[in-house]
Amino acid sequence: MILVTGGAGFIGANFVLDWLATHNEPVVNVDKLTYAGNLQNLRTLQGDARHQFVQGDIGDSALIERLLKEHQPRAIVNFAAESHVDRSIHGPEDFIETNVVGTFRLLEAARHYWAGLADADRQAFRFLHVSTDEVYGSLKPTDPAFTEEHNYEPNSPYSASKAASDHLVRAWHHTYGLPVLTTNCSNNYGPYHFPEKLIPLMIVNALAGKPLPVYGDGMQIRDWLYVRDHCSAIRRVLEGGKLGETYNVGGWNEKPNIEIVNLVCGLLDELRPRADGKSYREQITYVTDRPGHDRRYAIDARKLERELGWKPAETFETGIRKTVEWYLDNADWVAGVQTGSYRDWISQQYSQENKASA
Ligand code: NAD
Ligand code: DAU
């Protein structure tokens, strides 16, 4: 039995699906079901006794302690977080509450549970914390990719909150001996990605005939990894990672945002051409830049490859085609997640008018 937190979100749900497709070991999935949590992501597990869903908060110590006592998991994999940089700029408090205080409470519950285990179980127990490359800050064009030795230089409220959580995880290992592992991954994409993030937003807006908002000059670089490859990396680290260490996860796939948007438009032109015969590229609209926008991320994943033999299965070409096809085939899923007043703030913040007056 493993306990997964945030398993109704984008990566967590993909992880639970991937885990149960590759293991017979049950999962208890604790998720608060914020705007980003969606049980539709797990609908294919309906009736599967190996998956038990519990709606709850990682900051609810009594609940987590009860679940640990009841299910006796051999590992905790912590995905639960507020994950969107724009939201963290708009309203940072939830990020501190979940990513910092929530992780702290989860660590404390894990520590007490772990301390009470019998020797062999205590040896085998793992707490795997899922983190991000954004904790390392922003790279210049000629800088080498982030290694695990790179300084922590977070720039957004989101990345600062994730950096804080990574430090707590590290401290719980060094101070209390909790057997922890941390993964720092680059930008994921794939099925069940909430359409506030670049790739799904571009697909969904393109199909709806809406503008495709490219922040600033569109030359910011992100390093993209197909979500199931992130899942396989987490499984590998859980199996063989050295306690207390961190592992960078990435696909050596740096691309400027504008190139991503053009690629998505090209795939849509091929798979679902516009009625007027024009390209979806016509909808690209340059808008105000994100405040404090990090210019470039790039992950050096050689430690994970060298020590644990991990490699991604998808190339960007295969992964992005699968992703666009998934969104075309799952219009009902998209319709179900497209509400919320936060959209008003986004359209106001990232408008052309705003750019003109900035
Ligand atoms: P997401 O926003 O899609 O999902 C987060 C999930 O956590 C949601 O289901 C939400 O309901 C749940 N959650 C939020 N607060 C909670 C709380 N207090 N208690 C319990 N559940 C709570 O995020 P994601 O993109 O799937 O990211 C998952 C993890 O991976 C995060 O920790 C994120 O920092 C990290 N990460 C994401 C990426 C990426 O590209 N998306 C890359 C590297 C690392
Ligand atoms: O690097 C890993 C991180 O990747 C994760 O830790 C975060 O949880 C995840 O959200 C993601 O953060 P980004 O800020 O890189 O992702 P986002 O999809 O929001 O933006 C990707 C790039 O695209 C970024 O440079 C901003 C830009 N962008 C984004 C949106 C939503 C646009 O130009 N237009 C948009 O509408």
Side-chain angles (χ1 to χ4, degrees):
M1 165 76 68
I2 64 166
L3 187 140
V4 167
T5 73
F10 165 47
I11 306 174
N14 275 286
F15 180 82
V16 171
L17 294 169
D18 176 75
W19 180 269
L20 292 174
T22 53
H23 295 66
N24 240 335
E25 188 175 10
V27 174
V28 175
N29 181 354
V30 190
D31 193 298
K32 188 177 175 183
L33 295 182
T34 67
Y35 79 95
N38 183 357
L39 288 176
Q40 283 301 307
N41 300 354
L42 301 160
R43 62 179 183 253
T44 55
L45 294 177
Q46 243 170 16
D48 189 330
R50 298 172 306 161
H51 176 240
Q52 188 178 329
F53 182 79
V54 179
Q55 183 170 5
D57 191 323
I58 56 167
D60 181 346
S61 305
L63 171 74
I64 302 294
E65 279 164 21
R66 178 172 67 69
L67 291 173
L68 291 172
K69 197 169 164 198
E70 195 177 315
H71 296 285
Q72 300 279 306
R74 70 170 176 96
I76 297 174
V77 185
N78 182 31
F79 293 95
E82 288 294 335
S83 69
H84 190 36
V85 174
D86 290 327
R87 278 180 194 261
S88 82
I89 298 166
H90 175 53
E93 190 154 350
D94 286 348
F95 289 72
I96 305 306
E97 200 51 54
T98 284
N99 301 359
V100 186
V101 180
T103 304
F104 154 70
R105 297 225 176 100
L106 186 66
L107 281 165
E108 277 295 78
R111 175 166 80 92
H112 294 307
Y113 164 70
W114 166 74
L117 290 173
D119 273 357
D121 292 339
R122 203 164 56 241
Q123 294 290 327
F125 183 76
R126 298 287 180 271
F127 182 105
L128 192 150
H129 178 61
V130 180
S131 193
T132 169
D133 59 0
E134 298 201 13
V135 297
Y136 298 127
S138 185
L139 291 168
K140 296 198 171 57
T142 53
D143 284 344
F146 298 126
T147 66
E148 289 79 1
E149 275 70 50
H150 197 282
N151 287 344
Y152 268 44
E153 293 165 355
N155 291 319
S156 71
Y158 163 69
S159 54
S161 70
K162 289 297 289 187
S165 68
D166 292 10
H167 289 324
L168 291 173
V169 170
R170 176 189 157 90
W172 260 241
H173 176 68
H174 282 267
T175 305
Y176 304 113
L178 188 70
V180 306
L181 298 156
T182 298
T183 53
N184 294 89
C185 189
S186 61
N187 284 62
N188 285 214
Y189 68 99
Y192 307 114
H193 205 181
F194 195 84
E196 63 184 352
K197 310 278 169 65
L198 180 72
I199 289 179
L201 183 76
M202 294 299 148
I203 300 171
V204 166
N205 276 16
L207 293 171
K210 292 184 180 167
L212 307 180
V214 173
Y215 298 169
D217 64 1
M219 290 306 292
Q220 303 82 6
I221 291 174
R222 297 293 181 266
D223 189 351
W224 296 93
L225 182 71
Y226 191 66
V227 62
R228 284 292 180 112
D229 282 325
H230 187 188
C231 296
S232 73
I234 292 170
R235 284 197 272 109
R236 197 61 66 86
V237 172
L238 194 59
E239 283 156 19
K242 286 198 200 117
L243 296 186
E245 300 224 353
T246 67
Y247 293 86
N248 282 356
V249 187
W252 299 99
N253 186 48
E254 288 183 60
K255 289 201 189 301
N257 294 336
I258 189 64
E259 190 179 327
I260 296 286
V261 177
N262 272 303
L263 274 165
V264 167
C265 289
L267 280 165
L268 287 172
D269 287 341
E270 175 197 328
L271 298 167
R272 182 73 56 85
R274 264 173 47 158
D276 63 5
K278 292 184 178 163
S279 170
Y280 287 99
R281 291 188 179 99
E282 304 262 328
Q283 291 164 233
I284 293 175
T285 312
Y286 288 91
V287 298
T288 337
D289 207 353
R290 174 184 276 174
H293 201 168
D294 283 340
R295 197 67 184 165
R296 175 179 167 232
Y297 304 141
I299 275 284
D300 182 333
R302 277 179 295 184
K303 177 179 175 186
L304 182 55
E305 290 169 21
R306 193 176 57 243
E307 295 187 10
L308 299 177
W310 175 84
K311 272 200 188 322
E314 300 287 343
T315 64
F316 190 70
E317 287 64 35
T318 58
I320 192 71
R321 180 172 283 274
K322 276 189 188 177
T323 303
V324 171
E325 285 171 350
W326 187 87
Y327 280 87
L328 289 173
D329 292 343
N330 289 276
D332 58 333
W333 181 90
V334 173
V337 298
Q338 277 183 312
T339 51
S341 61
Y342 161 80
R343 299 300 327 159
D344 300 338
W345 179 79
I346 280 284
S347 38
Q348 203 195 345
Q349 167 71 19
Y350 297 117
S351 66
Q352 272 181 303
E353 293 74 42
N354 205 348
K355 186 182 178 77
S357 64

